[in-house]
Amino acid sequence: SPRHLKEAFISNLNGTSLLEISVGLSLPPLCLLCRGLLLILYYLNYGKPLSSRKQSLLLDFLVLVSPLIFSCTVLSPIIFFMPAIIAAFCAGIFSKIYSQRKHKTRVSFRQIVKDFQKMYLDPEYIPAVTVFRVYINVLTSISILAVDFPQYPRRYAKAETYGTGVMDLGVGAFIFGNALVCPEVRQKSPVTQPRFSSLARQFSSVWPLIFLGIGRLLSVKSIEYHEHTSEYGVHWNFFFTLAFVRLAASLLLAIFPKKNSWIVAINLAVLYQLILNATSLKMFILHGSNGRDTRVGFLNANREGLLSLFGYLAIYMASVQVGLCLRKCRNSVKGWIEAVCFSLLTVLVLFVFLHVSQVYAEPVSRRMANLSFCIWVVAHCLTLFTWFVVTDLMLVFTKLLVKGSSVPCCWNVVRSPNTGRKHEPEAMPIGREGKLSHLCLISAINKNQLLFFLLANVMTGTVNILIDTLHSKTAFTLCILHFYMFFNCLVMYILHARNIVLKFW
């Protein structure tokens, strides 16, 4: 039947290499840099920012989203060359900006660099956090539909038991991104708050996830939609995982000091791995209680989803520590450059630990969310986040070359490097109302992230019901994926333009 064909199409896969995933993760920051440079060049040529909403949406979609669709389909065979191609294009734009600007002023490049290092940025707004969370949502939305088409490489899909697929990383990255903005991280005065106040707030905020999980379960079963049982189990799904991880993390953070969340994360991941190796738990997850992949009983039916909670909880706690580090007052460019260096050193250490874990413990397994999986997710998420910070710093430097230029969802310069006087904001940060904020697709998706993810799931199901994805031609596949993503983005853009936030909990 078509259902069994589609289930077989996404089953028994082994993932791809760590290098290919690392190369692919460099594309979103490069696309973001390209968009920012184009906007600055436009301002340099026309003396005003891009004001047309239609043109802004089209530019954002073509530069921020479309390259990602091509990179995971027809351009996947040359994925290793794509970062170099986009980087060369960005270098060409920057060269044009610098050459045009050079005719108007005689300030030396060395002096510009010195001024750049002395600049102070808005300490209340870290654009990389928003961009990271939005891009994880966008990449996930592309993959959940593209995986059903033959043009999407099988090595990018979720691995069956062991392996590192792009979609395996997406699941962990979603958890990581949620923890970056959890109440415990955003809370500024923990002393005055009751100990379990965050846990109480989480109880009131996760119920939409529970209802979405139930809704997905009922809809999938009622229409006999194809599903990968070994992913989460018979009844479990990612909405349930996200809800229970958030609740469990709030409980742990109410018991242990949140400054020690990295210690809790390490203990969770290591202890869980020791139990997997020392007991029969691993065999139970992979083959059920009878060793023949039984699904009788709730625990057997949903063993992957239930037991992988420990690994996802460890990722969440590690991300809380990252979020707390970001909240430390780093309002200067020099401070953020030091933070980038420290982050890259941390990533290097994590990849060393990942190698040791894969050799002496076991390979990466999303199905079990083992120790190697936790280290791999945190390392790659930290890498992607760091590249977004570097991208923002590069755009701040370029804005220094062109006075008055604006880039939405980019850092604000709040103090002059020479006089110490405050500057007027170059770009409206997300969460603050302003015209520029309404001209940014990233801001639009950020304002209704859960709705965007839900809409992507509904549209994915609709496309799979109406279209035979397994036998689609390349041109048709690209058209469908672009229309699907443009529709999702357009809905978010319209809601944001009208200042509508569909969040009532």
Side-chain angles (χ1 to χ4, degrees):
S1 68
R3 176 187 174 183
H4 292 146
L5 285 174
K6 288 188 176 183
E7 288 175 355
F9 191 58
I10 57 175
S11 302
N12 302 312
L13 304 172
N14 299 312
T16 185
S17 66
L18 296 177
L19 179 60
E20 185 170 13
I21 293 177
S22 299
V23 170
L25 287 180
S26 67
L27 296 179
L30 286 170
C31 291
L32 186 70
L33 178 62
C34 183
R35 192 278 301 255
L37 293 174
L38 285 172
L39 289 175
I40 294 173
L41 181 62
Y42 181 91
Y43 180 87
L44 185 63
N45 289 331
Y46 296 96
K48 61 179 182 179
L50 186 64
S51 57
S52 170
R53 291 183 177 179
K54 293 179 181 179
Q55 293 177 0
S56 176
L57 173 61
L58 189 61
L59 174 68
D60 282 357
F61 184 81
L62 291 178
V63 179
L64 300 179
V65 180
S66 188
L68 304 180
I69 297 175
F70 282 106
S71 68
C72 68
T73 50
V74 293
L75 295 182
S76 59
I78 59 167
I79 188 72
F80 288 97
F81 299 100
M82 286 194 65
I85 295 171
I86 300 177
F89 185 67
C90 291
I93 301 174
F94 179 82
S95 176
K96 189 171 182 62
I97 292 173
Y98 184 74
S99 62
Q100 289 189 19
R101 174 251 176 215
K102 199 173 181 181
H103 294 302
K104 300 179 181 180
T105 179
R106 294 183 178 181
V107 180
S108 66
F109 187 80
R110 180 177 296 180
Q111 183 61 43
I112 295 172
V113 173
K114 288 182 179 179
D115 289 344
F116 171 67
Q117 292 176 338
K118 296 176 183 177
M119 292 174 74
Y120 284 84
L121 307 171
D122 186 354
E124 298 297 323
Y125 173 57
I126 305 173
V129 174
T130 298
V131 174
F132 175 89
R133 297 181 70 242
V134 168
Y135 253 115
I136 292 301
N137 215 331
V138 169
L139 290 167
T140 302
S141 300
I142 293 172
S143 295
I144 59 176
L145 178 59
V147 70
D148 294 317
F149 290 90
Q151 289 76 20
Y152 189 86
R154 296 301 89 195
R155 65 184 185 277
Y156 290 176
K158 290 179 181 176
E160 186 69 24
T161 303
Y162 295 105
T164 51
V166 174
M167 295 186 70
D168 292 314
L169 178 63
V171 178
F174 221 99
I175 296 288
F176 189 94
N178 265 264
L180 286 177
V181 294
C182 69
E184 292 81 6
V185 171
R186 289 176 292 157
Q187 190 174 313
K188 292 185 178 180
S189 54
V191 179
T192 60
Q193 298 287 336
R195 191 169 188 179
F196 291 92
S197 61
S198 293
L199 179 61
R201 285 197 298 270
Q202 285 287 23
F203 267 109
S204 63
S205 64
V206 301
W207 67 263
L209 295 172
I210 301 292
F211 276 105
L212 288 174
I214 295 173
R216 188 184 190 284
L217 172 64
L218 295 177
S219 60
V220 166
K221 299 300 180 184
S222 62
I223 64 175
E224 296 186 351
Y225 190 78
H226 67 277
E227 54 183 332
H228 195 186
T229 304
S230 64
E231 186 177 341
Y232 295 107
V234 178
H235 312 103
W236 204 263
N237 58 58
F238 183 69
F239 290 111
F240 292 140
T241 294
L242 186 56
F244 279 91
V245 165
R246 285 173 58 174
L247 287 176
S250 291
L251 179 60
L252 288 176
L253 291 169
I255 298 172
F256 301 101
K258 58 184 181 181
K259 65 179 181 180
N260 296 331
S261 57
W262 67 278
I263 300 176
V264 178
I266 292 174
N267 286 329
L268 265 173
V270 172
L271 181 61
Y272 177 53
Q273 184 62 54
L274 289 174
I275 295 174
L276 284 174
N277 288 350
T279 67
S280 59
L281 184 63
K282 184 191 301 184
M283 294 302 295
F284 172 73
I285 295 175
L286 298 180
H287 306 292
S289 58
N290 65 351
R292 299 178 181 178
D293 200 28
T294 179
R295 294 289 174 179
V296 178
F298 181 79
L299 185 58
N300 266 308
N302 304 284
R303 54 184 184 266
E304 294 91 350
L306 292 170
L307 294 172
S308 63
L309 288 174
F310 294 103
Y312 290 123
L313 183 58
I315 294 171
Y316 192 99
M317 296 298 289
S319 180
V320 168
Q321 188 68 57
V322 175
L324 292 173
C325 291
L326 294 174
R327 290 289 168 179
K328 292 181 180 178
C329 188
R330 289 190 186 93
N331 57 355
S332 67
V333 167
K334 187 176 180 180
W336 276 105
I337 292 175
E338 292 173 355
V340 165
C341 294
F342 178 76
S343 179
L344 291 175
L345 181 62
T346 305
V347 168
L348 180 62
V349 172
L350 285 172
F351 275 113
V352 172
F353 284 152
L354 175 60
H355 176 73
V356 172
S357 177
Q358 293 208 95
V359 171
Y360 294 101
E362 64 177 342
V364 173
S365 173
R366 174 205 44 82
R367 188 173 177 181
M368 291 181 281
N370 59 4
L371 176 62
S372 297
F373 176 77
C374 295
I375 299 174
W376 173 59
V377 168
V378 174
H380 270 102
C381 287
L382 202 54
T383 302
L384 179 59
F385 180 81
T386 304
W387 292 141
F388 280 131
V389 174
V390 172
T391 298
D392 281 325
L393 291 174
M394 293 175 71
L395 289 176
V396 169
F397 179 80
T398 310
K399 288 195 296 181
L400 183 62
L401 299 177
V402 184
K403 300 297 182 181
S405 58
S406 304
V407 179
C409 303
C410 181
W411 252 315
N412 293 328
V413 177
V414 294
R415 198 182 305 172
S416 168
N418 293 325
T419 64
R421 291 178 299 180
K422 290 187 177 181
H423 279 198
E424 292 185 6
E426 282 102 346
M428 282 292 178
I430 298 168
R432 300 182 185 179
E433 295 305 323
K435 190 176 181 181
L436 285 172
S437 181
H438 283 280
L439 296 176
C440 181
L441 181 59
I442 294 174
S443 301
I445 297 175
N446 179 62
K447 208 162 189 176
N448 286 287
Q449 286 216 45
L450 184 58
L451 179 64
F452 181 80
F453 183 60
L454 178 61
L455 179 62
N457 276 268
V458 173
M459 289 295 293
T460 297
T462 304
V463 170
N464 271 281
I465 292 171
L466 298 177
I467 296 173
D468 180 15
T469 58
L470 294 183
H471 302 97
S472 297
K473 301 295 182 182
T474 301
F476 182 73
T477 297
L478 291 174
C479 289
I480 290 295
L481 290 176
H482 276 85
F483 175 79
Y484 153 80
M485 282 305 299
F486 186 78
F487 176 79
N488 294 340
C489 293
L490 179 62
V491 172
M492 298 302 107
Y493 200 81
I494 292 173
L495 290 175
H496 184 49
R498 299 186 178 185
N499 200 26
I500 298 174
V501 181
L502 296 180
K503 185 176 181 179
F504 45 85
W505 55 90

